[in-house]
Amino acid sequence: MDRARNAVRALMGLAPAEATLLHEGHEERVPVANLGVGDHIVVRPVSVCPMDGRILEGRSAINQAPVTGESTPVERGLGDDVYAGTINGSGALTLEVTRLAQDNTIARIMHMVEEAQSQRAPRSDLWIALRAYTRRSSSPVPCW
């Protein structure tokens, strides 16, 4: 249970809290919560993608290991999707945001982990019942 909580905390720290928004030809740093679907953001080389998006300009090797566990960077270019929390390689990218911050890949993974934590496995219930049964049936006074 503690491992899962620590994993959720680590996920929360993967994506940056701010992004570089392209607005009317100018770049502006904004909180990711203020971004909407269709906004254009810039992801600089060797930086973390702040949002899920589709590449509009640029080409780069994307390290997806923090999110997918993929061991080698994947080459991405025009029209390809990238995930929040992945690490951009050596190329600058312009992305079109495809999901809101509360719906991006990291948020969905966190939601699934939290949901899994709140549900007990059927075997867990079986072990609890067995343990309760053995405690009730074992008497401290021998019966002979």
Side-chain angles (χ1 to χ4, degrees), residues 85-130:
T86 58
I87 303 164
N88 186 19
S90 60
L93 300 173
T94 300
L95 305 179
E96 177 182 8
V97 175
T98 56
R99 295 183 187 268
L100 298 175
Q102 65 266 23
D103 298 326
N104 70 20
T105 301
I106 293 175
R108 291 192 328 246
I109 292 170
M110 286 173 36
H111 176 73
M112 287 188 285
V113 169
E114 289 166 354
E115 194 173 276
Q117 283 179 331
S118 69
Q119 299 173 356
R120 267 200 295 222
R123 285 189 179 180
S124 172
D125 291 337
L126 174 65
W127 285 115
I128 290 170
L130 283 172

Side-chain angles (χ1 to χ4, degrees), residues 8-139:
V8 169
R9 282 190 202 111
L11 278 173
M12 290 170 53
L14 280 181
E18 290 188 335
T20 304
L21 174 67
L22 275 177
H23 183 68
E24 298 177 3
H26 295 86
E27 293 183 6
E28 177 184 351
R29 295 290 295 171
V30 297
V32 293
N34 294 355
L35 293 173
V37 173
D39 284 346
H40 294 183
I41 60 173
V42 175
V43 182
R44 303 259 182 252
V46 197
S47 64
V48 179
C49 295
M51 297 287 284
D52 288 0
R54 185 165 295 113
I55 298 175
L56 298 175
E57 291 179 30
R59 185 164 198 76
S60 186
I62 304 291
N63 180 351
Q64 299 181 141
V67 177
T68 66
E70 181 75 34
S71 61
T72 57
V74 179
E75 190 68 29
R76 297 282 187 213
L78 184 64
D80 290 333
D81 291 328
V82 295
Y83 307 120
T86 58
I87 303 164
N88 186 19
S90 60
L93 300 173
T94 300
L95 305 179
E96 177 182 8
V97 175
T98 56
R99 295 183 187 268
L100 298 175
Q102 65 266 23
D103 298 326
N104 70 20
T105 301
I106 293 175
R108 291 192 328 246
I109 292 170
M110 286 173 36
H111 176 73
M112 287 188 285
V113 169
E114 289 166 354
E115 194 173 276
Q117 283 179 331
S118 69
Q119 299 173 356
R120 267 200 295 222
R123 285 189 179 180
S124 172
D125 291 337
L126 174 65
W127 285 115
I128 290 170
L130 283 172
R131 189 170 46 212
Y133 175 78
T134 57
R135 285 184 182 154
R136 274 186 269 140
S137 65
S138 60
S139 170

